Amino acid sequence: MIMNIVFDTDLINRYDNTGPRYTSYPTAVEFSEEFTETHYRNAALETNEDPIPRPLSLYFHIPFCESVCFYCACNKVVTKNRSRAESYLGYLKKEIEFQSELFNHDRKVLQLHWGGGTPTYFNPSQITELMTHTRQHFGLLEDDSGDYSIEIDPRTAKADTIPFLRGMGFNRISFGIQDFDPTVQKAVNRVQSTEQVEALFIQARQASVRSVNVDLIYGLPFQNVASFEKTLDQTIALSPDRLSIFNYAHLPRLFRPQRNIDAGNLPSAAEKLAIFKMSIDKLVQAGYIYIGMDHFAKPNDELAIAQSEGKLFRNFQGYTLLGDCDLVGMGQSAISQVDDVYCQHVKTEDKYAASIEAGQIGIERGVALNFDDKIRRAVIMQLMCDFSLDIKKLESESSILFSQYFNQELTKLKPMQEDGLVQITDSEITVAPSGRLLVRNICQIFDAYRQGTTNVSNFSRTI
């Protein structure tokens, strides 16, 4: 089923403001330093007492990059000093040992993801060492049935990188391309040839990688509709299973590398919107399904199938099939979601090292969800994943009367209903085709922490 999307420029211009991406609710902005490592440890240990303990999802943050991409807003360490990676690997191995003590060893790891930074900054020996250590302390699957993914910078991959990673157990790969245009690449300090990327796709297919994802960014300097259409043509020719097309948020006040970008070279708001519309039209015409937010997938991809079956989830790693796992983040700045607790590690290399040396995991802040948080999380996540909310099911599971509990929210939704963004009945809220691109705006109505706010500098624009 191809998702029906209506790109209404007038509605987008009227509703487009800033807001959360809702990889969690509450969002990371609500994390507090009053939440301590003890809270996390207790929550993790308690999950073992569940009648059927949830399986695990492991995330490793590997922050190192050889050079800086000017658009980047990630937690990273830019260095050519490889000894720092060796030290960091040692600390990660210690954290693996600390974390494994909190979870019963029979809890299988259904999902594994390495992000960064550039995970392949680690050399093959270091990658092997980290995977071996993980297997020794956690129940990784050995039958290739897990969802084990890694992010790759095409500039750092060699001829044997993909086969090696496949042999390590990774069956999903994400390539950061951003744009194929040489002028754009030079402006953001990320130059890589089309031939480099094509060679890696061939390797991935030959190695039987289950799914290949591509990241693109629109709104970068010197981009326009015609130039980005060429990038899309080249990308579609590669036939990735999934695509993520991110909106570049120029926030040099918050992210120092972005100060290298001349704002005068950025496309206008109108041009940027036109690029996004062209991208949607072109990808849908090529047979991709709009999953939501910035994500597209082939109809036979597991994400698209899960969405059609109402089994799609969303967590700190984005859209996923495995939202019923406890997510254990490791490494500096990594975020965990264990039962009804979210928490984040310290964000710098030095603080992380000091925490591990002191026998601590390095939890810096977090939040424990209350009753209201859990109900609102259920509402927001259903709308984000399914574009609909089953009101009767929510009432049954939460023992609330929706019309009373969300009386104010339903009143605030009326203008959106009148504009055709949502359809509301006693039993269901449905995001209409013209509202799917504005689903973040719709979800903000149910966000207790955003009440009365329409433009928050902590967040990117919704379109």
Side-chain angles (χ1 to χ4, degrees):
M1 178 186 69
I2 294 181
M3 193 66 70
N4 185 15
I5 313 168
V6 172
F7 194 102
D8 189 316
T9 303
D10 178 60
L11 286 175
I12 289 172
N13 285 330
R14 282 199 285 126
Y15 280 96
D16 183 28
N17 52 43
T18 61
R21 298 179 63 82
Y22 292 116
T23 50
S24 73
Y25 180 84
T27 68
V29 172
E30 312 309 327
F31 290 8
S32 168
E33 292 184 4
E34 294 180 4
F35 183 98
T36 67
E37 185 159 315
T38 299
H39 292 120
Y40 170 73
R41 288 179 177 271
N42 290 340
L45 289 168
E46 287 175 6
T47 63
N48 296 313
E49 306 304 319
D50 292 342
I52 303 179
R54 286 177 294 277
L56 300 178
S57 171
L58 305 183
Y59 171 74
F60 290 92
H61 188 76
I62 300 165
F64 301 100
C65 295
E66 287 189 355
S67 62
V68 64
C69 301
F70 295 158
Y71 55 78
C72 187
C74 299
N75 181 286
K76 60 195 170 299
V77 176
V78 181
T79 179
K80 295 185 183 297
N81 181 1
R82 296 282 170 167
S83 64
R84 292 173 67 175
E86 186 64 32
S87 298
Y88 188 80
L89 173 60
Y91 294 128
L92 271 182
K93 289 169 63 178
K94 290 299 295 182
E95 185 182 355
I96 287 171
E97 296 168 15
F98 297 159
Q99 293 269 22
S100 69
E101 295 173 355
L102 303 177
F103 301 94
N104 289 345
H105 291 185
D106 60 351
R107 296 174 66 175
K108 297 300 182 183
V109 178
L110 300 189
Q111 187 176 53
L112 172 73
H113 183 72
W114 288 18
T118 306
T120 48
Y121 188 93
F122 279 170
N123 63 40
S125 176
Q126 292 167 330
I127 291 172
T128 301
E129 192 174 341
L130 182 55
M131 285 295 285
T132 299
H133 204 71
T134 304
R135 279 194 170 88
Q136 290 172 348
H137 294 274
F138 284 97
L140 296 190
L141 303 177
E142 303 298 339
D143 60 359
D144 202 37
S145 63
D147 191 316
Y148 292 1
S149 60
I150 186 169
E151 299 169 10
I152 296 178
D153 180 344
R155 300 171 301 173
T156 64
K158 299 177 175 59
D160 59 350
T161 297
I162 303 297
F164 167 72
L165 292 174
R166 188 71 183 92
M168 284 289 99
F170 291 104
N171 50 33
R172 295 189 184 276
I173 289 174
S174 181
F175 293 121
I177 294 176
Q178 322 316 347
D179 196 307
F180 278 117
D181 186 278
T183 302
V184 177
Q185 290 184 355
K186 185 176 180 181
V188 297
N189 198 39
R190 189 186 179 95
V191 177
Q192 57 197 13
S193 70
T194 305
E195 290 73 23
Q196 280 178 296
V197 178
E198 288 176 342
L200 292 173
F201 262 82
I202 293 172
Q203 292 173 26
R205 299 309 185 194
Q206 290 176 341
S208 299
V209 171
R210 187 185 304 165
S211 180
V212 180
N213 178 79
V214 162
D215 290 341
L216 301 176
I217 298 178
Y218 71 97
L220 295 176
F222 300 110
Q223 283 180 337
N224 54 52
V225 172
S227 72
F228 201 70
E229 185 170 16
K230 292 180 181 178
T231 285
L232 274 178
D233 286 336
Q234 291 171 285
T235 302
I236 291 170
L238 295 172
S239 192
D241 301 282
R242 302 174 185 175
L243 294 98
S244 301
I245 304 185
F246 297 109
N247 169 21
Y248 171 63
H250 189 59
L251 301 169
R253 177 179 60 86
L254 299 177
F255 307 111
R256 184 178 294 272
Q258 294 185 0
R259 297 172 192 174
N260 294 288
I261 292 178
D262 184 348
N265 295 327
L266 297 175
S268 66
E271 184 75 13
K272 194 174 178 182
L273 194 58
I275 292 172
F276 187 44
K277 182 181 187 305
M278 177 275 298
S279 300
I280 292 173
D281 291 342
K282 201 167 193 66
L283 288 171
V284 170
Q285 289 170 9
Y288 286 90
I289 294 198
Y290 178 68
I291 300 298
M293 292 287 293
D294 323 287
H295 291 69
F296 299 80
K298 289 182 176 180
N300 61 348
D301 186 86
E302 290 179 333
L303 272 188
I305 294 171
Q307 185 176 59
S308 68
E309 296 176 348
K311 297 178 181 178
L312 191 63
F313 297 91
R314 189 163 174 79
N315 62 17
F316 292 104
Q317 296 179 31
Y319 288 107
T320 177
L321 285 68
L322 300 167
D324 55 345
C325 293
D326 281 321
L327 171 60
V328 182
M330 288 181 260
Q332 69 182 63
S333 81
I335 297 179
S336 298
Q337 178 179 342
V338 175
D339 195 16
D340 294 320
V341 157
Y342 304 143
C343 59
Q344 185 172 28
H345 280 57
V346 292
K347 295 181 180 179
T348 68
E349 192 179 2
D350 290 344
K351 286 184 178 181
Y352 179 63
S355 296
I356 299 300
E357 288 174 352
Q360 300 293 311
I361 293 170
I363 302 300
E364 181 176 65
R365 61 193 191 118
V367 63
L369 277 65
N370 58 34
F371 177 78
D372 183 65
D373 291 333
K374 295 174 189 177
I375 293 176
R376 292 177 184 274
R377 175 177 65 179
V379 171
I380 289 171
M381 292 306 158
Q382 277 193 50
L383 291 172
M384 292 291 293
C385 294
D386 302 333
F387 292 120
S388 66
L389 172 67
D390 186 333
I391 291 175
K392 297 304 180 184
K393 181 180 179 182
L394 181 73
E395 288 180 329
S396 175
E397 293 175 347
S398 305
S399 300
I400 64 166
L401 183 60
F402 190 89
S403 60
Q404 290 183 1
Y405 198 94
F406 290 109
N407 179 57
Q408 293 184 1
E409 288 77 5
L410 288 170
T411 299
K412 292 178 181 178
L413 277 177
K414 284 183 179 179
M416 290 185 169
Q417 185 177 20
E418 292 169 358
D419 283 335
L421 300 183
V422 293
Q423 299 161 358
I424 304 173
T425 68
D426 291 339
S427 60
E428 189 174 35
I429 295 177
T430 303
V431 181
S434 59
R436 285 171 177 157
L437 296 176
L438 294 164
V439 68
R440 291 164 68 184
N441 302 72
I442 297 167
C443 288
Q444 280 193 81
I445 298 291
F446 294 95
D447 188 335
Y449 302 96
R450 306 276 79 76
Q451 298 293 342
T453 62
T454 58
N455 221 15
V456 186
S457 60
N458 302 76
F459 304 110
S460 63
R461 301 199 71 80
T462 53
I463 296 292

